[in-house]
Amino acid sequence: MWLLFQVAAAMPLLQEGRFEDARAPLVLACKQGEANGCYLLGRTLYTLEKYDAALATLLPLRATDKDPWRVDDAIALVYEGLRRPAEADKYFQTAITGRAPDPRYHYGRFLIREGHAEKAVAVLAASAKEFPKHELTRFELGRAYSQLGRLQEAEIQLALAPSLDEARRLLIKVRARK
């Protein structure tokens, strides 16, 4: 119960973006083996750009976490931050086997950044079909289409992300290019 309290105490801090403040209760929970505390600590360390510490926290968690895809997604993000694209790609590929939109969105964004917009379209289009209301996926899919010069498809996807400022800005640029 005490361990869950530590994680619960960290949650509002994480939601407020106070990652350094959330770190201490998460460290306590993780040291006692609370899996969600370790996962959140790893993500917090990643956000604080403490990549080596994030990997040290996340890598052992892969074998025991109830949702290993989320751990693989976090590890992939760390490797992306370290600018180690081969390792990031490896972990993203296992992360997208989970039934959640975020790893697919992260992987698609990574592929675009790495100059592989065509590969990103394949990942993101499948994710958009499975998770049609996930606006971040729609934005990244629109961005990939835009980079490939597929402007009509880009326009459709970007219009499906109306709450995102970056989607609205890109939509204006896409329409201007048509």
Side-chain angles (χ1 to χ4, degrees), residues 17-23 41-51:
R18 296 172 50 199
F19 299 103
E20 193 60 57
D21 293 336
R23 189 173 170 182
L41 176 61
R43 289 297 302 252
T44 298
L45 292 166
Y46 158 74
T47 301
L48 294 170
E49 297 183 1
K50 307 224 181 273
Y51 299 132

Side-chain angles (χ1 to χ4, degrees), residues 103-115:
R104 296 164 194 203
Y105 151 71
H106 292 149
Y107 189 35
R109 183 183 63 190
F110 165 78
L111 290 169
I112 292 168
R113 289 177 179 169
E114 291 296 310

